[in-house]
């Protein structure tokens, strides 16, 4: 299978999977109250925010590790930490059942989704390192379509909202079971890992992932805690709709970026900046088209698609169209800096972006602004943050490529 064909299969499978998840959304908004959907969205936000800590962010490091023994150790350690975090979250849910039923629901659903999201991220990294695009494409397809079918069945039979979270876990587990690839066999004699995933690297990568996800979910947290569960439901559904292009393509594009950059890093080859620019140029046109379509279509289609009472969600989708489209372009690039060993730079960039968004939301909520004004302020801050991140990644890639080119030139001149 050619590289281009494999890339199309990975992205295409992700598109089909995420279309399935978006397609069931109108059924969910009619089968469950806005408060229940709000709890589900909060749980998803918690799970996504906790994932970088629960997986040690190993999914960014595994593709660039050189030795098989280092891969085995990191994958097994990450799975153990993930299991401990999921178990702890489940225990917390059980303790909260009597006193805080809503919080217990959120914690329980968070544990279920964290298990599925974390295990998939770790195991996907193994497939990416091995260049197994076929299994990766099948996994992307199965994970989304099975989860969507399970959610649709849950809504049809009137199952509790917790089963929606369980559906996410079921889809991921089945997908991994059908496509899992054994870890590299241990070698009797293995060279030391030239770029080990040290504790400082892991800490910086984990914190940057935590901050990045918290930034992306901050509007849900801000509206849920500062306004109401209904407001967070509007925002959660709107982000899912406005982020449809990112959801459809984002994971596959990030996987492709890792697949192309990781071999360059392992083999010491230049060309990372050119690869980034190529993907950015292609995605910019897609992002503009998606943003325009969402801004025009979302407001009039909100009620016909989601049902009565979801009018505000259409306006929120229109506002979020631009920042979410920016995320489609820049989001996949977040994997580049860890592959280059620049975790600290990524952390500094993510913290700066978080502070910009958090400060904007804090000022907006303190002024008594409503849902629409708060969303607008969040969108402006998010766009500015993504522009800064793009500049940082391009500069880091340029410095790395220039250094390698100069090194190669010196070797040629001496020979």
């Amino acid at each position: 299978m050619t590289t281009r064909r494999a890339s199309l299969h990975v992205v295409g499978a992700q598109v089909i999977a995420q279309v399935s998840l978006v397609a069931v959304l109108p059924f969910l908004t009619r089968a469950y109250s806005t408060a229940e959907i709000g709890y589900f969205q909060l749980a998803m936000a918690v799970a996504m925010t906790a994932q970088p800590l629960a997986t040690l962010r190993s999914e960014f490091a595994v593709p660039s590790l050189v030795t098989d023994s280092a891969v085995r150790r990191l994958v097994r350690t990450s799975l153990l930490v993930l299991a401990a975090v999921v178990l702890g979250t489940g225990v917390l849910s059980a303790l909260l059942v009597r006193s805080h039923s809503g919080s217990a629901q959120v914690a329980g659903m968070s544990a279920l989704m964290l298990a599925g999201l974390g295990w998939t991220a770790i195991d996907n990294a193994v497939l990416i390192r091995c260049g197994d695009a076929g299994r990766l494409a099948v996994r992307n397809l199965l994970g989304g379509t099975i989860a969507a079918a399970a959610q649709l069945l849950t809504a049809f039979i009137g199952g509790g909202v917790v089963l929606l979270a369980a559906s996410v876990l079921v889809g991921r587990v089945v997908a991994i079971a059908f496509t899992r690839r054994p870890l590299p066999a241990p070698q009797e004699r293995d060279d030391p890992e030239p770029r080990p995933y040290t504790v400082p690297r892991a800490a910086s990568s984990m914190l940057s992932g935590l901050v990045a996800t918290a930034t992306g979910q901050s509007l849900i947290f801000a509206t849920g805690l500062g306004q109401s569960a209904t407001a967070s439901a509007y925002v959660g559904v709107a982000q899912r709709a406005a982020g449809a292009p990112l959801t459809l393509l984002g994971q596959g594009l990030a996987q492709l970026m890792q697949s192309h950059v990781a071999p360059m890093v392992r083999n010491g080859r230049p060309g990372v900046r050119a690869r980034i620019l190529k993907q950015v140029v292609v995605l910019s046109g897609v992002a503009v088209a998606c943003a325009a379509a969402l801004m025009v279509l979302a407001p009039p289609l909100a009620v016909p698609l989601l049902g009565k009472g979801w009018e505000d969600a259409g306006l929120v989708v229109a506002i979020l169209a631009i920042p979410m489209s920016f995320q489609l372009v820049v989001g996949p690039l977040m994997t580049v800096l860890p592959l280059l060993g620049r975790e600290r730079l990524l952390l500094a960039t993510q913290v700066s972006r978080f502070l910009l968004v958090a400060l904007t939301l804090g000022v907006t909520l303190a002024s008594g602004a409503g849902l629409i004004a708060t969303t607008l302020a969040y969108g402006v801050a998010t766009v500015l943050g993504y522009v800064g991140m793009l500049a940082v990644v391009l500069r880091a890639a340029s410095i790395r490529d220039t250094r390698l080119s100069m090194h190669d030139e010196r070797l040629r001149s001496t020979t």
Side-chain angles (χ1 to χ4, degrees):
M1 185 184 296
T2 64
T3 301
R4 183 173 182 179
R5 187 176 178 184
S7 301
L8 290 175
H9 284 177
V10 170
V11 176
Q14 180 68 11
V15 169
I16 296 172
Q18 295 303 325
V19 164
S20 302
L21 289 170
V22 173
V24 304
L25 193 56
F27 298 96
L28 302 184
T29 56
R30 287 173 169 82
Y32 298 93
S33 68
T34 53
E36 288 176 315
I37 294 295
Y39 286 140
F40 176 75
Q41 296 297 337
L42 282 173
M44 176 65 82
V46 170
M48 294 178 66
T49 302
Q51 182 190 319
L53 298 179
T55 63
L56 304 179
R57 211 54 165 173
S58 60
E59 62 269 26
F60 281 5
V62 166
S64 63
L65 291 177
V66 176
T67 63
D68 293 339
S69 58
V71 172
R72 291 177 63 87
R73 286 194 301 269
L74 182 54
V75 168
R76 289 180 173 179
T77 301
S78 302
L79 289 174
L80 286 174
V81 173
L82 174 65
V85 174
V86 169
L87 178 61
T89 308
V91 171
L92 176 62
S93 174
L95 293 175
L96 290 172
V97 167
R98 291 187 178 181
S99 57
H100 303 281
S101 59
S103 299
Q105 267 194 323
V106 172
M109 288 189 289
S110 298
L112 292 170
M113 289 189 282
L114 178 59
L117 296 174
W119 189 11
T120 301
I122 294 169
D123 213 68
N124 279 354
V126 176
L127 297 184
I128 291 170
R129 183 180 184 275
C130 298
D132 199 337
R135 289 177 192 250
L136 195 60
V138 173
R139 179 175 297 178
N140 288 344
L141 178 64
L142 290 178
T145 54
I146 293 174
Q151 287 186 339
L152 186 61
L153 178 62
T154 297
F156 179 75
I157 65 176
V161 69
V162 175
L163 293 181
L164 296 181
S167 299
V168 175
L169 175 59
V170 169
R172 302 303 176 102
V173 169
V174 173
I176 291 174
F178 274 95
T179 59
R180 195 152 191 257
R181 180 172 181 148
L183 290 173
Q187 303 294 320
E188 293 183 4
R189 183 177 179 181
D190 206 351
D191 295 330
E193 171 61 39
R195 300 179 65 253
Y197 193 52
T198 59
V199 172
R201 284 188 65 190
S204 296
S205 189
M206 288 160 58
L207 289 174
S208 65
L210 175 65
V211 173
T213 311
T215 305
Q217 303 299 320
S218 59
L219 185 58
I220 294 179
F221 288 133
T223 54
L225 299 176
Q227 295 178 349
S228 66
T230 299
S232 67
Y234 289 145
V235 170
V237 170
Q239 281 193 326
R240 194 165 172 181
L246 174 68
T247 306
L248 297 177
L249 300 171
Q251 181 179 332
L253 293 171
Q255 292 166 348
L256 291 181
M257 181 60 70
Q258 286 181 295
S259 299
H260 288 291
V261 173
M264 294 181 187
V265 174
R266 292 199 301 267
N267 299 319
R269 300 199 315 268
V272 173
R273 185 176 186 273
R275 175 65 203 180
I276 292 172
L277 285 175
K278 180 179 180 180
Q279 183 160 311
V280 167
V281 170
V282 173
L283 291 181
S284 294
V286 178
V288 170
C290 291
L294 287 169
M295 292 174 70
V296 172
L297 298 176
L301 291 180
V303 173
L305 289 178
L306 301 177
K308 293 182 179 179
W310 289 89
E311 293 85 357
D312 285 347
L315 295 175
V316 175
V317 170
I319 296 171
L320 292 178
I322 293 178
M324 297 303 284
S325 296
F326 262 82
Q327 189 177 354
L328 173 65
V329 177
V330 182
L333 306 185
M334 293 184 185
T335 63
V336 173
L337 292 179
L339 290 175
L340 300 180
R342 302 295 302 275
E343 287 87 0
R344 290 185 179 181
L345 177 60
L346 177 61
L347 176 59
T349 306
Q350 296 289 21
V351 168
S352 299
R353 193 167 67 92
F354 172 77
L355 292 175
L356 173 62
V357 173
L359 180 61
T360 301
L361 284 174
V363 171
T364 305
L365 289 174
S367 67
L371 175 62
I372 303 303
T374 301
T375 304
L376 183 61
Y378 168 84
V380 172
T382 299
V383 168
L384 293 176
Y386 277 131
V387 170
M389 170 161 279
L390 176 60
V392 169
V393 174
L394 285 173
R395 177 169 174 75
S398 179
I399 291 173
R400 184 255 182 196
D401 289 342
T402 300
R403 185 178 68 251
L404 285 175
S405 297
M406 292 176 63
H407 177 69
D408 292 344
E409 184 65 28
R410 285 196 297 268
L411 287 178
R412 285 194 294 268
S413 64
T414 56
T415 55

